[in-house]
Each structure stands twice: as structure tokens, then as C-alpha cells.
Amino acid sequence: MSTPAESQCNPVHVAIIMDGNGRWAKARGLPRNAGHRQGAGNVREIVRASADLGIRYLTLYAFSSENWKRPKEEVDELMKLLARFLKEQAKEIRKQGLRFRTIGDISAMPADVRELLEKTIAESANNNGGTLTLALNYGSRQELLNAVKLYAEDVQAGRARPETLDWQTLSSYLYTADMPDPDLVIRTSGERRVSNFLLLQGAYAEYYFCEKNWPEFGRADLEEALRSYRARERRYGMTGEQLREKDNCQDSLPTS
Ligand code: IPE
Ligand code: IPE
Ligand code: MG
């Protein structure tokens, strides 16, 4: 029997909205870009901690479809940091046997970044030590529009029939097609919003909001988020009694 404080297993898929780099810098009298540099360093720490904690899927919101609206010099710095991160992380990805992938429209990323992304994705395609996903130029609404366009093309070409469309089929057109839905979505910096991140996939996710800014979010904070997750009961529309009749690990959405 599990105790009420730990009623379920660790999450299979953790997604993080890494927010608060700018405020971290401002609080120290530093330019926003200094916050992004510190934040990029912290990504490495959390990737390692997450692997140590046995999280099989880690998805990090690194750049939203709306972040292009920021000042050009900030966007340029973010792209530079991303390129550096990918070069430095290649060894770590190999060492940990991680599969690297992205969600979002990477065709709009600068050519050098895109090349590095494609190289890292290809090199790690057969790894099975866990999946690290960066959400880049990602927005849920854009993802849905893209999925609907692709689906409409298949209908026009006679490859799909709207009469038989179900969620499983439509979700296979999303960027996350072969990934499980996130079990736990963490947002740092004290903001309590989802900002266009995994809106559909997070339909039954547990949300955890942390007051710390991203550069300060460490291994202990991740462990605290996992503890909070384990103490919750995911019901998927059912009653608590129905679930307790089944088993203690409610990691995934029942299919029927
Ligand atoms: C998150 O930190 C990084 C990105 C969105 C790329 P922010 O840059 O949003 O930091 P705040 O929210 O302004 O403090
Ligand atoms: C969400 O943070 C995007 C990323 C963390 C990459 P934002 O800072 O862009 O979100 P808003 O503008 O506060 O909603
Ligand atoms: Mg922000």
C-alpha cells in the first residue's frame, strides 16, 4: 500500500516552462541577456538531474512562437546561446544515450542553429536512454493549425476520411506524435499561465508552479516538484474510488 502522501509513481514525461531569466538578471542589476546565459547553464544541470531521477521524457520550452516579438538583440543572443548549448551538449547527449528532438517549426530558425539541431537529432536518433525535447519556435495554436493543414492535405489526397477522424488520428499530426502526453508541467518564475505550451497534450497533466526564476531552479526544486506530483491523485474524470480499485501507478491516461 502506498501512503496518501505518495499515491503514484514518478512522472514519465516532465515538461518545463523555463521562465524568469530576465527578472533574475534585473534583480541583480544585470542586462536580460546575462539572465539568458545563466539560464542556459541551468538547462545542463536540469538535464543531468532529470536523467539521474529516471525521468524518461524531458521537454523544455526554450523559445515560443511569440518570442520573436522581443528586441532583435535579445532574440540574437538566445539563438547564439542555443547554438552553443547544442555544441556543448552533444557529448553529454552521447554519454547519457539521450534521444534529442524538437517540437515547433524549426524551419524559421537561423541556418546554423537548424543545422546543429538536425545533426543532433540525426546522431541521437537510435539512442534509448531517455528523450530530451526542446520546444523551439513552438506554440500550441500554430501546432494545431499545422496539424489541421496536414490532415486536410491527406483528406484531399484521399488518404484520410473525416468520418473516421478520432483524437488518436488527429494527435498523430501534432509535433508530439510519438511522445506520451506530459504528466507534469512545471513553470518557474511565479507566473501561473501556460503561454501557448502543450495546451492539448496537457489536458490531464498536473501543473506545478515554482516561485524561483529559472536560473535558480535546481535539482532540489525538481525533486520537490516530483514529490508534489506523487502526492496527487489523477482521476481522468473518474472517481477516486474507481481509481483506487485499479492500481497505485496512474501514469497514463486510460485509453477507454
Ligand atoms: C525565459 O525567461 C526565457 C525565454 C522566454 C526565452 P524570460 O526572458 O521570459 O524572463 P522574464 O519572464 O522576462 O523574467
Ligand atoms: C514562455 O515564457 C516561453 C518560454 C519559456 C520559452 P514567456 O516569458 O515568453 O511567456 P509570457 O510572455 O510571460 O506569457
Ligand atoms: Mg518570461
Side-chain angles (χ1 to χ4, degrees):
M1 275 287 283
S2 63
T3 62
E6 299 232 330
S7 63
Q8 50 174 5
C9 298
N10 265 333
V12 172
H13 183 177
V14 175
I16 309 182
I17 303 173
M18 308 183 290
D19 197 15
N21 290 349
R23 277 164 284 170
W24 180 90
K26 193 172 176 212
R28 287 158 183 79
L30 298 168
R32 291 181 59 83
N33 284 347
H36 292 315
R37 284 192 285 277
Q38 194 74 18
N42 197 41
V43 173
R44 282 190 284 278
E45 294 299 312
I46 293 300
V47 168
R48 199 166 309 136
S50 155
D52 292 347
L53 293 165
I55 295 164
R56 299 222 309 273
Y57 290 82
L58 177 68
T59 300
L60 302 173
Y61 202 8
F63 194 85
S64 79
S65 316
E66 288 72 30
N67 287 149
W68 297 110
K69 296 180 201 158
R70 295 192 178 195
K72 185 179 181 303
E73 58 162 33
E74 182 167 340
V75 172
D76 288 348
E77 178 69 12
L78 285 166
M79 295 302 147
K80 223 171 75 189
L81 285 170
L82 180 57
R84 191 188 301 163
F85 170 80
L86 289 165
K87 283 182 198 149
E88 290 174 3
Q89 198 67 11
K91 207 170 123 207
E92 193 70 22
I93 287 173
R94 262 198 306 277
K95 210 171 95 192
Q96 291 182 26
L98 295 175
R99 198 161 82 99
F100 176 80
R101 54 177 293 174
T102 60
I103 53 173
D105 178 12
I106 62 166
S107 71
M109 306 299 277
D112 61 326
V113 173
R114 212 171 55 229
E115 272 167 37
L116 278 166
L117 288 169
E118 281 159 2
K119 184 165 169 271
T120 315
I121 291 167
E123 279 175 2
S124 68
N126 296 321
N127 291 350
N128 54 15
T131 300
L132 169 64
T133 304
L134 290 189
L136 293 169
N137 190 21
Y138 177 87
S140 280
R141 289 182 171 177
Q142 292 81 348
E143 176 182 42
L144 183 60
L145 278 173
N146 180 60
V148 170
K149 283 180 193 166
L150 293 173
Y151 177 71
E153 279 170 19
D154 279 353
V155 171
Q156 270 180 336
R159 289 187 294 263
R161 290 177 47 233
E163 305 76 39
T164 60
L165 182 62
D166 56 12
W167 175 245
Q168 204 185 349
T169 307
L170 186 60
S171 63
S172 74
Y173 289 85
L174 299 175
Y175 294 125
T176 49
D178 48 1
M179 284 164 76
D181 284 341
D183 300 296
L184 173 65
V185 179
I186 298 170
R187 182 169 188 148
T188 60
S189 88
E191 305 295 358
R192 284 162 172 76
R193 56 177 171 260
V194 286
S195 303
N196 211 6
F197 187 51
L198 300 178
L199 299 182
L200 293 163
Q201 297 88 339
Y204 274 98
E206 295 295 327
Y207 285 83
Y208 181 86
F209 298 102
C210 174
E211 296 302 316
K212 285 189 185 172
N213 288 319
W214 172 250
E216 303 181 298
F217 183 87
R219 181 181 290 252
D221 301 301
L222 180 60
E223 282 174 325
E224 186 54 42
L226 296 184
R227 257 194 299 282
S228 166
Y229 173 85
R230 286 194 301 265
R232 303 181 193 186
E233 183 176 68
R234 299 174 76 185
R235 301 196 190 104
Y236 306 107
M238 291 180 273
T239 67
E241 287 71 20
Q242 281 176 302
L243 280 167
R244 282 186 287 275
E245 272 166 27
K246 295 169 83 171
D247 57 39
N248 294 322
C249 285
Q250 304 132 23
D251 284 337
S252 58
L253 190 62
T255 47
S256 58

